[in-house]
mmCIF file of all heavy atoms in Angstrom:
data_model
loop_
_atom_site.group_PDB
_atom_site.id
_atom_site.type_symbol
_atom_site.label_atom_id
_atom_site.label_comp_id
_atom_site.label_asym_id
_atom_site.label_seq_id
_atom_site.Cartn_x
_atom_site.Cartn_y
_atom_site.Cartn_z
ATOM 1 N N LEU A 924 4.919 88.574 92.057
ATOM 2 C CA LEU A 924 5.544 89.870 92.357
ATOM 3 C C LEU A 924 5.705 90.066 93.862
ATOM 4 O O LEU A 924 6.741 90.562 94.318
ATOM 5 C CB LEU A 924 4.694 90.997 91.754
ATOM 6 C CG LEU A 924 4.676 91.091 90.222
ATOM 7 C CD1 LEU A 924 3.703 92.171 89.768
ATOM 8 C CD2 LEU A 924 6.069 91.370 89.670
ATOM 9 N N ALA A 925 4.664 89.703 94.614
ATOM 10 C CA ALA A 925 4.739 89.839 96.076
ATOM 11 C C ALA A 925 5.836 88.956 96.654
ATOM 12 O O ALA A 925 6.528 89.355 97.603
ATOM 13 C CB ALA A 925 3.386 89.492 96.700
ATOM 14 N N THR A 926 6.028 87.780 96.079
ATOM 15 C CA THR A 926 7.084 86.891 96.545
ATOM 16 C C THR A 926 8.463 87.510 96.302
ATOM 17 O O THR A 926 9.342 87.466 97.176
ATOM 18 C CB THR A 926 6.989 85.520 95.825
ATOM 19 O OG1 THR A 926 5.701 84.939 96.055
ATOM 20 C CG2 THR A 926 8.076 84.565 96.329
ATOM 21 N N GLY A 927 8.644 88.093 95.117
ATOM 22 C CA GLY A 927 9.908 88.741 94.796
ATOM 23 C C GLY A 927 10.209 89.922 95.709
ATOM 24 O O GLY A 927 11.337 90.092 96.196
ATOM 25 N N VAL A 928 9.184 90.740 95.978
ATOM 26 C CA VAL A 928 9.357 91.911 96.828
ATOM 27 C C VAL A 928 9.663 91.496 98.264
ATOM 28 O O VAL A 928 10.548 92.056 98.919
ATOM 29 C CB VAL A 928 8.095 92.809 96.784
ATOM 30 C CG1 VAL A 928 8.196 93.916 97.820
ATOM 31 C CG2 VAL A 928 7.921 93.414 95.394
ATOM 32 N N SER A 929 8.932 90.503 98.779
ATOM 33 C CA SER A 929 9.175 90.043 100.145
ATOM 34 C C SER A 929 10.550 89.447 100.299
ATOM 35 O O SER A 929 11.192 89.597 101.363
ATOM 36 C CB SER A 929 8.098 89.026 100.546
ATOM 37 O OG SER A 929 8.187 87.853 99.746
ATOM 38 N N SER A 930 11.051 88.796 99.260
ATOM 39 C CA SER A 930 12.404 88.238 99.320
ATOM 40 C C SER A 930 13.449 89.344 99.316
ATOM 41 O O SER A 930 14.431 89.291 100.069
ATOM 42 C CB SER A 930 12.619 87.290 98.126
ATOM 43 O OG SER A 930 13.943 86.779 98.109
ATOM 44 N N ALA A 931 13.237 90.376 98.474
ATOM 45 C CA ALA A 931 14.195 91.466 98.383
ATOM 46 C C ALA A 931 14.230 92.263 99.688
ATOM 47 O O ALA A 931 15.300 92.751 100.113
ATOM 48 C CB ALA A 931 13.823 92.389 97.224
ATOM 49 N N LEU A 932 13.073 92.402 100.344
ATOM 50 C CA LEU A 932 13.003 93.171 101.597
ATOM 51 C C LEU A 932 13.256 92.301 102.823
ATOM 52 O O LEU A 932 13.173 92.770 103.954
ATOM 53 C CB LEU A 932 11.628 93.834 101.711
ATOM 54 C CG LEU A 932 11.274 94.870 100.631
ATOM 55 C CD1 LEU A 932 9.887 95.422 100.843
ATOM 56 C CD2 LEU A 932 12.300 96.002 100.621
ATOM 57 N N GLN A 933 13.551 91.023 102.574
ATOM 58 C CA GLN A 933 13.825 90.065 103.647
ATOM 59 C C GLN A 933 12.677 89.961 104.658
ATOM 60 O O GLN A 933 12.888 89.901 105.867
ATOM 61 C CB GLN A 933 15.145 90.429 104.366
ATOM 62 C CG GLN A 933 16.360 90.360 103.450
ATOM 63 C CD GLN A 933 17.660 90.643 104.176
ATOM 64 O OE1 GLN A 933 17.661 91.070 105.325
ATOM 65 N NE2 GLN A 933 18.778 90.370 103.516
ATOM 66 N N LEU A 934 11.464 89.923 104.121
ATOM 67 C CA LEU A 934 10.288 89.692 104.960
ATOM 68 C C LEU A 934 10.085 88.181 105.007
ATOM 69 O O LEU A 934 9.314 87.587 104.255
ATOM 70 C CB LEU A 934 9.059 90.399 104.381
ATOM 71 C CG LEU A 934 9.202 91.909 104.163
ATOM 72 C CD1 LEU A 934 7.959 92.473 103.474
ATOM 73 C CD2 LEU A 934 9.431 92.598 105.514
ATOM 74 N N ASN A 935 10.805 87.535 105.899
ATOM 75 C CA ASN A 935 10.932 86.086 105.882
ATOM 76 C C ASN A 935 9.594 85.358 106.090
ATOM 77 O O ASN A 935 9.311 84.358 105.416
ATOM 78 C CB ASN A 935 11.929 85.632 106.951
ATOM 79 C CG ASN A 935 13.339 86.161 106.657
ATOM 80 O OD1 ASN A 935 13.714 86.300 105.505
ATOM 81 N ND2 ASN A 935 14.086 86.466 107.703
ATOM 82 N N ALA A 936 8.799 85.816 107.034
ATOM 83 C CA ALA A 936 7.522 85.153 107.323
ATOM 84 C C ALA A 936 6.593 85.242 106.119
ATOM 85 O O ALA A 936 5.988 84.221 105.702
ATOM 86 C CB ALA A 936 6.863 85.776 108.544
ATOM 87 N N LEU A 937 6.478 86.436 105.546
ATOM 88 C CA LEU A 937 5.620 86.612 104.377
ATOM 89 C C LEU A 937 6.147 85.826 103.179
ATOM 90 O O LEU A 937 5.373 85.196 102.440
ATOM 91 C CB LEU A 937 5.524 88.107 104.019
ATOM 92 C CG LEU A 937 4.677 88.454 102.796
ATOM 93 C CD1 LEU A 937 3.231 87.980 102.992
ATOM 94 C CD2 LEU A 937 4.700 89.958 102.526
ATOM 95 N N ASN A 938 7.460 85.847 102.993
ATOM 96 C CA ASN A 938 8.059 85.118 101.877
ATOM 97 C C ASN A 938 7.820 83.603 102.023
ATOM 98 O O ASN A 938 7.548 82.910 101.041
ATOM 99 C CB ASN A 938 9.565 85.406 101.819
ATOM 100 C CG ASN A 938 10.229 84.750 100.633
ATOM 101 O OD1 ASN A 938 10.914 83.728 100.766
ATOM 102 N ND2 ASN A 938 10.049 85.344 99.462
ATOM 103 N N TRP A 939 7.915 83.091 103.250
ATOM 104 C CA TRP A 939 7.664 81.668 103.489
ATOM 105 C C TRP A 939 6.209 81.325 103.134
ATOM 106 O O TRP A 939 5.945 80.300 102.490
ATOM 107 C CB TRP A 939 7.951 81.329 104.949
ATOM 108 C CG TRP A 939 7.624 79.909 105.309
ATOM 109 C CD1 TRP A 939 8.416 78.812 105.159
ATOM 110 C CD2 TRP A 939 6.390 79.440 105.861
ATOM 111 N NE1 TRP A 939 7.774 77.695 105.588
ATOM 112 C CE2 TRP A 939 6.515 78.039 106.024
ATOM 113 C CE3 TRP A 939 5.193 80.062 106.230
ATOM 114 C CZ2 TRP A 939 5.485 77.252 106.535
ATOM 115 C CZ3 TRP A 939 4.174 79.278 106.736
ATOM 116 C CH2 TRP A 939 4.306 77.903 106.899
ATOM 117 N N LEU A 940 5.276 82.173 103.563
ATOM 118 C CA LEU A 940 3.854 81.923 103.295
ATOM 119 C C LEU A 940 3.573 81.932 101.798
ATOM 120 O O LEU A 940 2.887 81.033 101.282
ATOM 121 C CB LEU A 940 3.015 82.975 104.005
ATOM 122 C CG LEU A 940 1.491 82.888 103.794
ATOM 123 C CD1 LEU A 940 0.982 81.544 104.324
ATOM 124 C CD2 LEU A 940 0.788 84.041 104.485
ATOM 125 N N LEU A 941 4.102 82.942 101.080
ATOM 126 C CA LEU A 941 3.871 83.019 99.639
ATOM 127 C C LEU A 941 4.518 81.871 98.908
ATOM 128 O O LEU A 941 3.985 81.355 97.903
ATOM 129 C CB LEU A 941 4.404 84.353 99.113
ATOM 130 C CG LEU A 941 3.674 85.607 99.589
ATOM 131 C CD1 LEU A 941 4.393 86.863 99.116
ATOM 132 C CD2 LEU A 941 2.228 85.632 99.070
ATOM 133 N N ASP A 942 5.688 81.456 99.384
ATOM 134 C CA ASP A 942 6.357 80.317 98.757
ATOM 135 C C ASP A 942 5.523 79.045 98.896
ATOM 136 O O ASP A 942 5.434 78.243 97.947
ATOM 137 C CB ASP A 942 7.722 80.126 99.413
ATOM 138 C CG ASP A 942 8.514 79.016 98.739
ATOM 139 O OD1 ASP A 942 8.858 79.166 97.552
ATOM 140 O OD2 ASP A 942 8.797 77.992 99.410
ATOM 141 N N LYS A 943 4.893 78.849 100.029
ATOM 142 C CA LYS A 943 4.043 77.674 100.223
ATOM 143 C C LYS A 943 2.799 77.769 99.329
ATOM 144 O O LYS A 943 2.336 76.749 98.793
ATOM 145 C CB LYS A 943 3.631 77.548 101.692
ATOM 146 C CG LYS A 943 4.781 77.308 102.645
ATOM 147 C CD LYS A 943 5.563 76.058 102.286
ATOM 148 C CE LYS A 943 6.742 75.853 103.228
ATOM 149 N NZ LYS A 943 7.553 74.670 102.828
ATOM 150 N N ILE A 944 2.262 78.985 99.179
ATOM 151 C CA ILE A 944 1.101 79.168 98.311
ATOM 152 C C ILE A 944 1.444 78.809 96.877
ATOM 153 O O ILE A 944 0.654 78.162 96.164
ATOM 154 C CB ILE A 944 0.587 80.617 98.409
ATOM 155 C CG1 ILE A 944 -0.020 80.869 99.811
ATOM 156 C CG2 ILE A 944 -0.459 80.907 97.323
ATOM 157 C CD1 ILE A 944 -0.437 82.301 100.031
ATOM 158 N N LEU A 945 2.617 79.229 96.420
ATOM 159 C CA LEU A 945 3.058 78.910 95.066
ATOM 160 C C LEU A 945 3.249 77.410 94.876
ATOM 161 O O LEU A 945 2.920 76.856 93.809
ATOM 162 C CB LEU A 945 4.357 79.652 94.739
ATOM 163 C CG LEU A 945 4.247 81.153 94.490
ATOM 164 C CD1 LEU A 945 5.629 81.766 94.309
ATOM 165 C CD2 LEU A 945 3.380 81.417 93.254
ATOM 166 N N THR A 946 3.777 76.758 95.901
ATOM 167 C CA THR A 946 3.985 75.299 95.813
ATOM 168 C C THR A 946 2.648 74.579 95.663
ATOM 169 O O THR A 946 2.501 73.684 94.844
ATOM 170 C CB THR A 946 4.710 74.799 97.071
ATOM 171 O OG1 THR A 946 5.952 75.469 97.210
ATOM 172 C CG2 THR A 946 4.933 73.289 96.979
ATOM 173 N N ILE A 947 1.675 74.996 96.483
ATOM 174 C CA ILE A 947 0.340 74.392 96.377
ATOM 175 C C ILE A 947 -0.290 74.736 95.036
ATOM 176 O O ILE A 947 -0.973 73.935 94.414
ATOM 177 C CB ILE A 947 -0.559 74.872 97.550
ATOM 178 C CG1 ILE A 947 0.036 74.405 98.883
ATOM 179 C CG2 ILE A 947 -1.982 74.377 97.372
ATOM 180 C CD1 ILE A 947 -0.674 74.970 100.098
ATOM 181 N N GLY A 948 -0.023 75.984 94.573
ATOM 182 C CA GLY A 948 -0.597 76.441 93.305
ATOM 183 C C GLY A 948 -0.158 75.602 92.117
ATOM 184 O O GLY A 948 -0.901 75.440 91.142
ATOM 185 N N LEU A 949 1.066 75.071 92.169
ATOM 186 C CA LEU A 949 1.563 74.239 91.069
ATOM 187 C C LEU A 949 0.695 73.003 90.871
ATOM 188 O O LEU A 949 0.497 72.543 89.748
ATOM 189 C CB LEU A 949 3.012 73.824 91.329
ATOM 190 C CG LEU A 949 4.061 74.944 91.240
ATOM 191 C CD1 LEU A 949 5.444 74.411 91.613
ATOM 192 C CD2 LEU A 949 4.088 75.543 89.843
#
């Protein structure tokens, strides 16, 4: 949910960090 919200609000730094967390999470 945080990844989706950060993407919609164009919070690029936060979105990049969450995206990396999801990648590691897989």
Side-chain angles (χ1 to χ4, degrees):
L924 291 175
T926 302
V928 171
S929 64
S930 177
L932 298 178
Q933 297 183 350
L934 304 175
N935 296 327
L937 179 60
N938 184 257
W939 176 86
L940 178 61
L941 293 173
D942 184 65
K943 296 302 179 183
I944 291 175
L945 286 175
T946 302
I947 297 173
L949 290 176

